Amino acid sequence: MIKAVIFDMDGLIIDSEEISYACYNSLLEKENLTLSKELYTQFLGKSVENGFHLIEDNYHIHIDVEKALIEFKDIMQKMVEERGVPLKDGLIELLDYLQDNNYKTIIATSSNLTRVHQLLDNEIFSRFDDIICGDEVTNGKPNPEIFLKACEKLNVHPNEALVLEDSEAGIQAAYGASIPVICIPDMKYPEQPYLDMTTDILKSLKQVIDYLKESAV
């Protein structure tokens, strides 16, 4: 029986991946480089720090990651102030359903807490019972650690939880934790090996309500 729902953040709760992609490219302009969307799909579900390491490996350049993280945060803040960060379709309806039916909820994100507060409205943030961030774990996604610790925080067994993800790294992490995972694809539709790890593929968060109703029967 499902007692808790674990939410990824970027690309799942909020439509933030395009903003993050623009931030990386803004920083790469000084190197006369443009981050391809094909490479960026490898960043999905991972921390910004890991994103910079992937850039180093693929473009064979050195990045002062500590400095780049500060610049990334500043650029992100300006973009968020200018554009805002839209919520994903069906989020409010799903959160209402979960609250009305006494499900526990937690955000499990590779981002640090500062970035979470930067991107998530306090009203939305307060709708969740807890949060676990990338800087609270030793190994990020696709390692299952973050989802296992999310279960510990909510005091539920992995087979009593459900993970909602959009990225291949997140799917693999949930699968490794033996937690059922539903994928709502964002920038990249999962490749077949990751599709095989999922319980279902849905088009929006609102469809998760029907899944939970059927699971409760």
Side-chain angles (χ1 to χ4, degrees):
M1 180 180 177
I2 298 172
K3 297 181 179 179
V5 180
I6 303 171
F7 289 74
D8 176 45
M9 185 181 74
D10 290 288
L12 191 285
I13 292 175
I14 50 177
D15 196 3
S16 56
E17 295 294 6
E18 287 290 348
I19 293 178
S20 293
Y21 176 66
C23 289
Y24 280 113
N25 270 319
S26 179
L27 285 168
L28 285 174
E29 282 181 1
K30 63 184 70 174
E31 303 288 343
N32 294 315
L33 293 172
T34 300
L35 176 62
S36 70
K37 284 210 169 183
E38 182 180 3
L39 176 57
Y40 182 67
T41 59
Q42 297 181 32
F43 294 21
L44 304 182
K46 300 175 183 175
S47 67
V48 175
E49 182 177 355
N50 283 338
F52 284 123
H53 290 314
L54 283 168
I55 289 171
E56 287 183 310
D57 292 342
N58 281 270
Y59 291 101
H60 307 293
I61 61 173
H62 171 71
I63 296 175
D64 183 336
V65 175
E66 187 174 341
K67 179 181 178 183
L69 286 170
I70 295 171
E71 292 178 358
F72 187 97
K73 176 185 172 183
D74 291 342
I75 295 168
M76 174 71 75
Q77 184 64 45
K78 291 176 182 177
M79 288 189 179
V80 169
E81 289 173 356
E82 292 171 1
R83 308 179 187 184
V85 184
L87 300 177
K88 281 291 191 173
D89 179 50
L91 175 65
I92 300 303
E93 293 93 331
L94 177 55
L95 289 176
D96 286 343
Y97 176 82
L98 295 174
Q99 184 175 4
D100 291 343
N101 289 274
N102 301 311
Y103 287 92
K104 297 179 180 181
T105 56
I106 189 170
I107 298 170
T109 175
S110 298
S111 297
N112 59 41
L113 189 60
T114 300
R115 185 168 183 271
V116 172
H117 283 298
Q118 187 179 37
L119 293 174
L120 267 191
D121 184 276
N122 284 335
E123 184 177 346
I124 297 299
F125 184 77
S126 66
R127 297 288 304 270
F128 293 87
D129 294 315
D130 213 329
I131 183 170
I132 181 166
C133 297
D135 46 5
E136 295 179 66
V137 297
T138 304
N139 303 292
K141 302 173 188 177
N143 188 284
E145 181 183 358
I146 193 167
F147 290 136
L148 292 172
K149 286 192 172 181
C151 289
E152 289 176 10
K153 279 196 171 190
L154 294 182
N155 195 29
V156 297
H157 192 275
N159 65 15
E160 296 174 323
L162 174 69
V163 168
L164 304 180
E165 266 286 354
D166 68 293
S167 72
E168 292 178 340
I171 291 170
Q172 185 176 345
Y175 185 80
S178 297
I179 304 173
V181 56
I182 288 177
C183 179
I184 297 99
D186 184 37
M187 290 186 73
K188 184 179 188 293
Y189 196 84
E191 299 290 337
Q192 191 60 51
Y194 300 96
L195 288 176
D196 294 340
M197 297 178 188
T198 65
T199 297
D200 208 344
I201 304 288
L202 300 178
K203 292 182 178 179
S204 79
L205 291 170
K206 190 173 182 180
Q207 292 182 318
V208 177
I209 297 173
D210 291 332
Y211 175 87
L212 291 170
K213 287 179 178 178
E214 291 172 6
S215 299
V217 176

